[in-house]
Amino acid sequence: MIRSSSPARSPVRSPTATSAGDSLHAQEYAAEARRIVDEGGVHIHIHARTPDGAPSYEIEDFTAIHDAIRAEIGDAAILNFSTGTIGVSVEKRAAYLRACPPEVGALNMGSMNYAKYSARRKQFVFKMVFANPFDEILELLEIFSELAIKPEHECFDVGHVGSLAPLVDMGVLETPLHADFVMGVVGGIPPTARNLAAMADNLAAIPGGPHHWGVIGISREQWMLVTAALSLGGSIRVGLEDNLYLPSGEMATSTAKLIAQAHQMVVASGRRAATVEEARALLGVRPRVAT
């Protein structure tokens, strides 16, 4: 399955806003979604933004982007909303999920140091603690269950994969699971093919499988990890949220450019990109009902 990331630099505001220009931001998302689908992408991960580019967690922004994309591509891709935040309450995240439920919701599976390091400067470019405690995970899972949203478990380390097992045992997670392994963040698991295989092996050991998994490679390691995932039988995500460059070193002008490259790699590996219907079945996402 080929996924995407959120359309780059695509801020969105409510289409009912008084400024005609505000509604154009939602159309940027829709236009990029069309390009993604045309290149073979079937699963679009979305972060909402305001017109000035700041992250948004407002109902009107998520509703605008959802409606604009569905108007453009219909059911041709699975829509996935981010719930990853710093300092934003579960209540606020729940509000946009309830107002406009996506088919899939990204769910970070544990707290961690999260940083970027410069070897040249011998210092961290930035560093923070990314808090995702079990209490918040359980609250979000309850909301996901209420709204029939399939969780995408974003695992930044092997321990995050291990955190899935007690949740399955508690009965708060329906199997089979859908997990993505995020590799290349300083503070998380190092981005190597062997570590990717270890993550997949740990997921396979959780009861209720076979589970579905994919890889999210950060920055320059993205293409190596795409190759490794294709060899190991996993799915792949590429997009400007994670990496700005094609394998040649050329800067990508859109997420769709990265999708096109990934599609070529899928074919070259001897595999075939999933259709959106096949992707919904692989992830355990219910077929959409037209509204």
Side-chain angles (χ1 to χ4, degrees):
M1 180 179 72
I2 299 178
R3 296 185 61 212
S4 72
S5 182
S6 52
R9 299 188 306 159
S10 301
V12 58
R13 290 290 287 177
S14 167
T16 60
T18 55
S19 169
D22 285 350
S23 65
L24 295 178
H25 294 291
Q27 297 307 316
E28 291 182 46
Y29 277 97
E32 182 71 331
R34 166 54 62 193
R35 290 189 287 267
I36 287 167
V37 167
D38 289 348
E39 295 293 354
V42 294
H43 187 171
I44 301 175
H45 175 65
I46 294 165
H47 294 252
R49 293 186 178 273
T50 62
D52 63 3
S56 172
Y57 306 98
E58 301 301 328
I59 289 173
E60 61 267 24
D61 292 339
F62 275 96
T63 300
I65 182 175
H66 176 278
D67 291 352
I69 289 177
R70 285 294 180 216
E72 175 62 35
I73 67 168
D75 296 339
I78 298 164
L79 297 192
N80 173 330
F81 284 177
S82 171
T83 63
T85 68
I86 299 171
V88 179
S89 69
V90 171
E91 181 181 13
K92 192 167 186 67
R93 286 175 272 175
Y96 66 73
L97 292 173
R98 288 196 173 100
C100 188
E103 293 172 272
V104 175
L107 183 63
N108 295 303
M109 285 308 301
S111 301
M112 60 182 294
N113 284 315
Y114 194 115
K116 183 174 182 179
Y117 178 72
S118 169
R120 181 177 61 83
R121 301 180 197 174
K122 304 299 182 189
Q123 65 183 32
F124 293 107
V125 177
F126 71 84
K127 57 186 185 297
M128 65 180 185
V129 175
F130 190 26
N132 296 286
F134 275 121
D135 286 348
E136 287 192 4
I137 291 171
L138 288 167
E139 280 188 74
L140 285 165
L141 283 174
E142 185 175 349
I143 295 161
F144 282 21
S145 178
E146 168 197 334
L147 300 173
I149 298 171
K150 178 71 176 182
E152 175 213 3
H153 302 287
E154 294 201 354
C155 301
F156 293 75
D157 214 336
V158 178
H160 294 174
V161 180
S163 295
L164 292 165
L167 300 178
V168 171
D169 190 60
M170 291 167 65
V172 297
L173 274 184
E174 183 179 340
T175 57
L177 304 172
H178 164 42
D180 268 320
F181 308 139
V182 187
M183 307 183 71
V185 174
V186 176
I189 192 166
T192 70
R194 284 191 174 92
N195 283 344
L196 178 59
M199 297 275 272
D201 288 346
N202 276 265
L203 181 67
I206 296 174
H211 307 294
H212 178 267
W213 65 269
V215 72
I216 301 174
I218 304 300
S219 191
R220 67 185 64 188
E221 308 296 345
Q222 182 175 84
W223 299 112
M224 176 275 291
L225 290 167
V226 164
T227 301
L230 290 172
S231 299
L232 292 168
S235 289
I236 56 175
R237 160 174 142 174
V238 297
L240 293 175
E241 178 186 349
D242 308 319
N243 167 48
L244 301 176
Y245 296 94
L246 296 165
S248 64
E250 175 188 355
M251 181 173 282
T253 56
S254 69
T255 286
K257 295 289 187 182
L258 300 172
I259 290 286
Q261 176 66 47
H263 198 191
Q264 291 177 25
M265 295 172 72
V266 169
V267 173
S269 74
R271 296 179 64 186
R272 177 179 63 81
T275 66
V276 68
E277 292 83 8
E278 291 168 335
R280 287 192 170 100
L282 283 168
L283 270 58
V285 175
R286 301 172 188 173
R288 271 181 48 80
V289 177
T291 57

